[in-house]
Amino acid sequence: MAGWDDILKELGDTPSPSDLVRRKYIKQLSQYTKRNTIAYYSAFITKNGGNIDINDSDMTGFMNALKGMDCSKGLDLILHTPGGSPAAAEAIVQYLRSKFGKDIRVIVPQAAMSAGTMIACASKEIIMGKHSSLGPIDPQFSGIPAYNIKQEFEEAKIDLSKHPENAQYWSIKLSQYPAAFMKTAIDAIELSSLLARDWLGSCMFNKDDEDDRKIIENIVHNLNEHDSSKNHGRHFNIKFCHDIGLKVTPMEDDDKLQDRILSVHHAYMLTMSGTDVCKIIENQNGKAVINHLRS
């Protein structure tokens, strides 16, 4: 069976100079670690709109990247993403775990936010630099935190119990949300915690160990809350991630590994800043699905 990029080659699609440079560096990284490598890169820093978030269409890229791969060598997943759908993240994690079991590391050269942070929590280890960031996993609806929506409904309930005359004000204010939207927001908050808790307890930690369960709860509490973080775009550095209990390894501990990771990162960032590419899912053998803004 022909894969996505195999069919593109039949259609006459040829690698560009930026393709060749990226593939050289990701191959060098894979040769150094002796592990499979998949890069998942989004142009969210340089572009707006387009297919930049984690969504169900990403499954095509992962299926293509895994075609013919020796999964016994484990996987290093390089993530650079603003996040996206928790449900799509769940499907990706389930698929990767069906192929690699628990032998998955996540590398964060710069930022893996929101649902990207959730995917990182599904790994056995997260490799970060001093410049790397994870982010809150509290869900969003069109840029509005679910926690804000929940709080607004709760404020309305409290205020109306004391001041029924404010009913018209709250009716107008809450009419911006569809019917039963508070339940949707609460469900989304609970799903993010549920997935993160399950993934942490089934790989990075042992959910049957009492001490590990305490660490897991602390991690989930700190990642999926809004009172302290305030902003869904908050950046959590390696020290914060280590302090809340995540198993993070400093990229700087291995100079050669750091050099190879950052070479890969720069190659992908230059591809996306200099072209109309908005997302790349690519393995060390050059098998790639590349999305363009025009597509």
Side-chain angles (χ1 to χ4, degrees):
M1 180 187 71
W4 177 279
D5 58 339
D6 297 322
I7 294 174
L8 281 178
K9 289 174 185 175
E10 285 187 46
L11 294 172
D13 186 61
T14 57
S16 68
S18 61
D19 292 335
L20 297 175
V21 171
R22 284 196 324 273
R23 291 165 189 174
K24 178 181 80 171
Y25 286 115
I26 192 172
K27 191 170 189 65
Q28 287 180 357
L29 173 60
S30 184
Q31 288 172 338
Y32 179 75
T33 61
K34 297 179 174 58
R35 294 170 60 82
N36 293 302
T37 307
I38 295 177
Y40 179 103
Y41 266 79
S42 165
F44 69 99
I45 291 177
T46 57
K47 295 179 175 69
N48 293 317
N51 181 19
I52 63 171
D53 63 333
I54 295 172
N55 58 69
D56 286 331
S57 71
D58 294 336
M59 187 59 74
T60 300
F62 282 102
M63 290 170 64
N64 182 68
L66 265 66
K67 184 176 182 292
M69 184 176 279
D70 179 1
C71 296
S72 67
K73 294 181 179 180
L75 174 67
D76 285 345
L77 176 60
I78 308 173
L79 283 179
H80 182 70
T81 173
S85 163
E90 180 181 21
I92 290 167
V93 168
Q94 288 175 342
Y95 179 55
L96 295 180
R97 284 191 168 182
S98 74
K99 296 292 186 179
F100 299 99
K102 297 180 180 181
D103 195 7
I104 300 172
R105 300 192 302 185
V106 164
I107 300 173
V108 183
Q110 185 172 348
M113 309 297 284
S114 189
T117 296
M118 292 174 65
I119 293 174
C121 288
S123 69
K124 67 177 183 179
E125 173 190 4
I126 307 170
I127 298 175
M128 300 175 66
K130 293 178 180 178
H131 51 275
S132 304
S133 299
L134 299 181
I137 63 172
D138 59 304
Q140 308 276 291
F141 292 93
S142 300
I144 302 173
Y147 275 101
N148 285 10
I149 297 168
K150 177 185 175 185
Q151 184 177 6
E152 204 157 36
F153 277 93
E154 290 174 345
E155 287 176 356
K157 182 179 179 180
I158 294 171
D159 185 53
L160 288 171
S161 68
K162 299 177 180 178
H163 306 285
E165 66 274 14
N166 291 339
Q168 185 176 3
Y169 165 79
W170 285 111
S171 176
I172 295 171
K173 188 171 181 60
L174 299 180
S175 65
Q176 63 181 308
Y177 303 119
F181 199 62
M182 181 179 177
K183 178 67 165 55
T184 301
I186 293 172
D187 286 347
I189 293 168
E190 292 177 350
L191 177 61
S192 292
S193 288
L194 177 67
L195 292 175
R197 186 179 292 110
D198 178 61
W199 293 343
L200 286 163
S202 56
C203 188
M204 192 177 289
F205 300 97
N206 179 4
K207 63 184 177 183
D208 295 324
D209 182 273
E210 183 177 353
D211 290 336
D212 278 5
R213 285 200 300 271
K214 292 178 182 178
I215 296 172
I216 292 168
E217 289 304 318
N218 188 59
I219 293 170
V220 173
H221 169 73
N222 279 277
L223 293 181
N224 193 13
E225 61 86 37
H226 197 67
D227 291 338
S228 298
S229 62
K230 302 298 183 186
N231 189 317
H232 187 69
R234 284 285 301 275
H235 287 52
F236 299 147
N237 64 18
I238 187 172
K239 182 181 185 303
F240 176 91
C241 295
H242 175 270
D243 288 349
I244 66 173
L246 285 167
K247 291 184 179 178
V248 290
T249 298
M251 198 182 298
E252 294 83 3
D253 283 358
D254 184 335
D255 290 340
K256 292 181 179 179
L257 178 63
Q258 181 184 32
D259 287 346
R260 285 162 174 78
I261 291 172
L262 294 182
S263 294
V264 169
H265 180 62
H266 296 150
Y268 278 84
M269 295 299 286
L270 286 168
T271 293
M272 292 185 295
S273 63
T275 68
D276 65 350
V277 170
C278 60
K279 186 184 291 179
I280 305 172
I281 304 175
E282 185 168 43
N283 73 9
Q284 76 270 11
N285 297 318
K287 295 183 70 64
V289 169
I290 301 175
N291 297 130
H292 301 260
L293 281 177
R294 64 176 180 266
S295 60

